[in-house]
Each structure stands twice: as C-alpha cells, then as structure tokens.
C-alpha cells in the first residue's frame, strides 16, 4: 500500500491522502510432456497416453486443467489421475482432467487409455494444460505425440 497526495486547483496540497491497493500475482511456469505407448500399436490393442505436468516454479499453480483431444481411429476407454479427476466425452473423445493446486517443483500425471480401431496410418494427439495462475511461459504448456499403427491386435 502506498499513499498519494494530490494538489488542488489553487496549488495547495490536499490533506486527505488517497490509498491504492495492488495485488501482484505470483509467477509459475508449467511444463507438459505427452508420451504414447506402445509404438507401433496394433488394431484392437490398447494405446496408453501419459501426460506429465511439471510446475517449474517459482510459485504454486491453481485450478489446473489438462485437455487432450484423442484422434479418430481409437475409442476412449478410461482416464485416471493420482490427484483430481478426469472425464472423457465425444467422438473422437476429448479428455479433461482437473486439479486444484500444484506446488512449485511438483508433478501431476494423467493416464488416458483407448482401443485402436484404425487399421493403418498414424494416431496423433495433442494435450494442453492451463491454470488460473500467472504462467510466465505459455510456450511449454502444450505437447503432441504420434503413434504408428501396424498389424492386427490380439
């Protein structure tokens, strides 16, 4: 808090100080990686995506949301996380996981599983993490991966 004194039209200092309050948001820096296994994957097999959010600091991050668009060519089976909750909907599915707070230096992992329905080609997926906190580097808040399809599943 600081005080400001004004000068009136006659050049006299106003004896009533004005007070202003400012809030400075703490800075955080989230980083995201996305890995798919196995690669290559066979039709009818389970493809597992593992997204890892790391809070590089220097402060904690609040209200985290991890969104991942699954590719056509696979059906959504499940999404789990050790903290928070996940839900998947749509076709092709979009998975959304949320968590209340991630401390500086901490990691948060979400795992998404689906069954491969395509017979050939590549399955590409992108995940993005957001926070209500001030993230000083948005350039590392998205990650993508591609998986090759080959052969028939068991």
């Amino acid at each position: 808090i600081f005080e400001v004194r004004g000068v009136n039209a006659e050049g006299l200092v106003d004896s009533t100080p004005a007070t202003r309050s400012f809030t400075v948001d703490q800075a955080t820096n989230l980083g995201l990686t996305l890995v798919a296994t196995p690669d290559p994957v066979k039709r009818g097999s389970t493809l597992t995506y593992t997204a890892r959010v790391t809070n590089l600091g220097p402060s904690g991050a609040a209200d985290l949301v991890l969104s991942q668009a699954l590719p056509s060519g696979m059906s959504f089976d499940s999404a789990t996380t050790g903290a928070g909750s996940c839900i998947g909907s749509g076709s092709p599915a979009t998975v959304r996981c949320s968590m209340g707070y991630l401390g500086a230096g901490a990691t948060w992992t979400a795992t998404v599983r689906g069954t491969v329905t395509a017979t050939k080609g590549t399955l590409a997926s992108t995940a993005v993490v957001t926070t209500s906190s001030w993230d000083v580097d948005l350039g590392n808040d998205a990650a993508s991966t591609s998986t090759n399809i080959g052969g028939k599943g068991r």
Side-chain angles (χ1 to χ4, degrees):
I1 298 178
F2 64 93
E3 293 182 358
V4 177
R5 294 195 181 248
V7 178
N8 65 19
E10 289 94 29
L12 300 173
V13 175
D14 185 351
S15 61
T16 309
T19 303
R20 300 291 182 254
S21 297
F22 294 89
T23 302
V24 178
D25 292 335
Q26 293 185 348
T28 192
N29 183 6
L30 300 179
L32 176 63
T33 60
L34 182 65
V35 176
T37 55
D39 187 8
V41 65
K42 297 178 181 181
R43 180 176 188 241
S45 297
T46 298
L47 179 60
T48 302
Y49 290 103
T50 303
R52 174 174 274 186
V53 178
T54 302
N55 184 346
L56 304 169
S59 300
D63 306 318
L64 282 81
V65 175
L66 175 69
S67 299
Q68 182 179 354
L70 299 184
S72 58
M74 73 177 292
S75 61
F76 171 72
D77 293 337
S78 67
T80 58
T81 182
S85 61
C86 295
I87 188 167
S89 63
S91 181
T94 297
V95 177
R96 179 182 162 106
C97 299
S98 58
M99 180 180 166
Y101 183 82
L102 186 64
T107 60
W108 174 45
T109 302
T111 303
V112 176
R113 290 181 177 82
T115 302
V116 176
T117 57
T119 56
K120 62 182 178 177
T122 302
L123 298 173
S125 183
T126 297
V128 177
V129 64
T130 60
T131 178
S132 63
S133 300
W134 176 35
D135 190 336
V136 298
D137 183 3
L138 300 177
N140 58 355
D141 292 354
S144 298
T145 188
S146 295
T147 306
N148 295 310
I149 305 167
K152 288 190 174 185
R154 299 178 209 135

